[in-house]
mmCIF file of all heavy atoms in Angstrom:
data_model
loop_
_atom_site.group_PDB
_atom_site.id
_atom_site.type_symbol
_atom_site.label_atom_id
_atom_site.label_comp_id
_atom_site.label_asym_id
_atom_site.label_seq_id
_atom_site.Cartn_x
_atom_site.Cartn_y
_atom_site.Cartn_z
ATOM 1 N N ASN A 833 -128.039 185.149 97.856
ATOM 2 C CA ASN A 833 -127.442 184.657 99.004
ATOM 3 C C ASN A 833 -126.646 185.825 99.788
ATOM 4 O O ASN A 833 -125.424 185.695 99.840
ATOM 5 C CB ASN A 833 -126.456 183.526 98.663
ATOM 6 C CG ASN A 833 -127.190 182.308 98.152
ATOM 7 O OD1 ASN A 833 -128.234 181.917 98.640
ATOM 8 N ND2 ASN A 833 -126.652 181.650 97.054
ATOM 9 N N LEU A 834 -127.517 186.662 100.338
ATOM 10 C CA LEU A 834 -126.948 187.773 101.022
ATOM 11 C C LEU A 834 -127.663 187.894 102.375
ATOM 12 O O LEU A 834 -128.867 187.849 102.420
ATOM 13 C CB LEU A 834 -127.329 189.026 100.046
ATOM 14 C CG LEU A 834 -126.647 190.444 100.428
ATOM 15 C CD1 LEU A 834 -127.351 191.114 101.545
ATOM 16 C CD2 LEU A 834 -125.098 190.327 100.579
ATOM 17 N N ALA A 835 -126.767 188.233 103.349
ATOM 18 C CA ALA A 835 -127.324 188.424 104.751
ATOM 19 C C ALA A 835 -126.894 189.698 105.285
ATOM 20 O O ALA A 835 -125.900 190.404 104.852
ATOM 21 C CB ALA A 835 -126.870 187.193 105.614
ATOM 22 N N TRP A 836 -127.611 190.176 106.243
ATOM 23 C CA TRP A 836 -127.347 191.372 106.947
ATOM 24 C C TRP A 836 -127.179 191.072 108.484
ATOM 25 O O TRP A 836 -128.058 190.291 109.067
ATOM 26 C CB TRP A 836 -128.401 192.386 106.861
ATOM 27 C CG TRP A 836 -128.584 192.994 105.418
ATOM 28 C CD1 TRP A 836 -129.292 192.500 104.356
ATOM 29 C CD2 TRP A 836 -127.834 194.137 104.906
ATOM 30 N NE1 TRP A 836 -129.129 193.404 103.312
ATOM 31 C CE2 TRP A 836 -128.282 194.353 103.612
ATOM 32 C CE3 TRP A 836 -126.908 195.026 105.458
ATOM 33 C CZ2 TRP A 836 -127.732 195.371 102.800
ATOM 34 C CZ3 TRP A 836 -126.408 196.079 104.640
ATOM 35 C CH2 TRP A 836 -126.841 196.262 103.359
ATOM 36 N N TYR A 837 -126.293 191.722 109.113
ATOM 37 C CA TYR A 837 -126.098 191.605 110.589
ATOM 38 C C TYR A 837 -126.000 192.929 111.143
ATOM 39 O O TYR A 837 -125.540 193.893 110.558
ATOM 40 C CB TYR A 837 -124.719 190.927 110.799
ATOM 41 C CG TYR A 837 -124.545 189.532 110.214
ATOM 42 C CD1 TYR A 837 -124.204 189.364 108.874
ATOM 43 C CD2 TYR A 837 -124.757 188.349 111.088
ATOM 44 C CE1 TYR A 837 -124.119 188.045 108.405
ATOM 45 C CE2 TYR A 837 -124.634 187.129 110.601
ATOM 46 C CZ TYR A 837 -124.389 186.920 109.264
ATOM 47 O OH TYR A 837 -124.219 185.677 108.736
ATOM 48 N N GLN A 838 -126.473 192.980 112.486
ATOM 49 C CA GLN A 838 -126.299 194.149 113.241
ATOM 50 C C GLN A 838 -125.337 193.993 114.406
ATOM 51 O O GLN A 838 -125.325 192.905 115.019
ATOM 52 C CB GLN A 838 -127.686 194.472 113.905
ATOM 53 C CG GLN A 838 -127.772 195.614 114.823
ATOM 54 C CD GLN A 838 -128.974 195.696 115.680
ATOM 55 O OE1 GLN A 838 -129.251 194.751 116.465
ATOM 56 N NE2 GLN A 838 -129.965 196.713 115.403
ATOM 57 N N GLN A 839 -124.463 194.955 114.634
ATOM 58 C CA GLN A 839 -123.481 194.802 115.669
ATOM 59 C C GLN A 839 -123.482 196.052 116.578
ATOM 60 O O GLN A 839 -123.341 197.172 116.058
ATOM 61 C CB GLN A 839 -122.080 194.509 115.209
ATOM 62 C CG GLN A 839 -121.064 194.269 116.343
ATOM 63 C CD GLN A 839 -119.739 193.886 115.806
ATOM 64 O OE1 GLN A 839 -119.315 194.399 114.811
ATOM 65 N NE2 GLN A 839 -119.062 193.041 116.546
ATOM 66 N N LYS A 840 -123.647 195.893 117.863
ATOM 67 C CA LYS A 840 -123.574 196.897 118.760
ATOM 68 C C LYS A 840 -122.246 196.773 119.557
ATOM 69 O O LYS A 840 -121.628 195.848 119.619
ATOM 70 C CB LYS A 840 -124.723 196.887 119.787
ATOM 71 C CG LYS A 840 -126.050 197.102 119.028
ATOM 72 C CD LYS A 840 -127.249 196.938 120.075
ATOM 73 C CE LYS A 840 -128.535 197.246 119.325
ATOM 74 N NZ LYS A 840 -129.665 197.154 120.256
ATOM 75 N N PRO A 841 -121.775 197.926 120.136
ATOM 76 C CA PRO A 841 -120.408 198.014 120.676
ATOM 77 C C PRO A 841 -120.357 196.909 121.855
ATOM 78 O O PRO A 841 -121.233 196.668 122.636
ATOM 79 C CB PRO A 841 -120.365 199.421 121.375
ATOM 80 C CG PRO A 841 -121.297 200.233 120.497
ATOM 81 C CD PRO A 841 -122.400 199.367 120.110
ATOM 82 N N GLY A 842 -119.214 196.148 121.719
ATOM 83 C CA GLY A 842 -118.888 195.147 122.691
ATOM 84 C C GLY A 842 -119.679 193.847 122.499
ATOM 85 O O GLY A 842 -119.648 192.989 123.424
ATOM 86 N N GLN A 843 -120.494 193.747 121.410
ATOM 87 C CA GLN A 843 -121.267 192.545 121.209
ATOM 88 C C GLN A 843 -120.881 191.904 119.918
ATOM 89 O O GLN A 843 -120.198 192.548 119.033
ATOM 90 C CB GLN A 843 -122.795 192.866 121.111
ATOM 91 C CG GLN A 843 -123.296 193.480 122.418
ATOM 92 C CD GLN A 843 -124.876 193.731 122.308
ATOM 93 O OE1 GLN A 843 -125.454 193.184 121.425
ATOM 94 N NE2 GLN A 843 -125.396 194.488 123.258
ATOM 95 N N ALA A 844 -121.269 190.656 119.828
ATOM 96 C CA ALA A 844 -121.087 189.896 118.535
ATOM 97 C C ALA A 844 -122.134 190.379 117.574
ATOM 98 O O ALA A 844 -123.180 190.905 117.969
ATOM 99 C CB ALA A 844 -121.191 188.448 118.736
ATOM 100 N N PRO A 845 -121.841 190.290 116.238
ATOM 101 C CA PRO A 845 -122.928 190.524 115.265
ATOM 102 C C PRO A 845 -124.084 189.599 115.543
ATOM 103 O O PRO A 845 -124.014 188.519 116.053
ATOM 104 C CB PRO A 845 -122.120 190.194 113.929
ATOM 105 C CG PRO A 845 -120.736 190.309 114.206
ATOM 106 C CD PRO A 845 -120.579 189.810 115.593
ATOM 107 N N ARG A 846 -125.237 190.158 115.175
ATOM 108 C CA ARG A 846 -126.496 189.430 115.228
ATOM 109 C C ARG A 846 -127.154 189.323 113.877
ATOM 110 O O ARG A 846 -127.269 190.444 113.117
ATOM 111 C CB ARG A 846 -127.473 190.110 116.228
ATOM 112 C CG ARG A 846 -128.825 189.557 116.336
ATOM 113 C CD ARG A 846 -129.741 190.160 117.424
ATOM 114 N NE ARG A 846 -130.150 191.411 116.923
ATOM 115 C CZ ARG A 846 -131.472 191.959 117.202
ATOM 116 N NH1 ARG A 846 -132.278 191.106 117.932
ATOM 117 N NH2 ARG A 846 -131.804 193.192 116.893
ATOM 118 N N LEU A 847 -127.557 188.099 113.558
ATOM 119 C CA LEU A 847 -128.172 187.974 112.220
ATOM 120 C C LEU A 847 -129.506 188.599 112.109
ATOM 121 O O LEU A 847 -130.388 188.355 113.020
ATOM 122 C CB LEU A 847 -128.339 186.472 111.975
ATOM 123 C CG LEU A 847 -129.017 186.047 110.672
ATOM 124 C CD1 LEU A 847 -128.154 186.519 109.351
ATOM 125 C CD2 LEU A 847 -129.306 184.521 110.572
ATOM 126 N N LEU A 848 -129.677 189.418 111.200
ATOM 127 C CA LEU A 848 -130.955 190.095 110.956
ATOM 128 C C LEU A 848 -131.798 189.574 109.875
ATOM 129 O O LEU A 848 -132.952 189.210 109.967
ATOM 130 C CB LEU A 848 -130.726 191.546 110.592
ATOM 131 C CG LEU A 848 -130.156 192.623 111.509
ATOM 132 C CD1 LEU A 848 -129.998 193.929 110.944
ATOM 133 C CD2 LEU A 848 -131.032 192.675 112.778
ATOM 134 N N ILE A 849 -131.207 189.372 108.674
ATOM 135 C CA ILE A 849 -131.855 188.993 107.379
ATOM 136 C C ILE A 849 -130.945 188.029 106.680
ATOM 137 O O ILE A 849 -129.692 188.193 106.639
ATOM 138 C CB ILE A 849 -132.127 190.186 106.567
ATOM 139 C CG1 ILE A 849 -133.314 190.918 107.154
ATOM 140 C CG2 ILE A 849 -132.381 189.828 105.088
ATOM 141 C CD1 ILE A 849 -133.707 192.259 106.480
#
Side-chain angles (χ1 to χ4, degrees):
Chain A
N833 291 320
L834 190 285
W836 291 92
Y837 300 81
Q838 176 194 68
Q839 187 177 32
K840 297 180 179 178
Q843 297 183 14
R846 177 175 71 144
L847 178 66
L848 293 177
I849 285 175

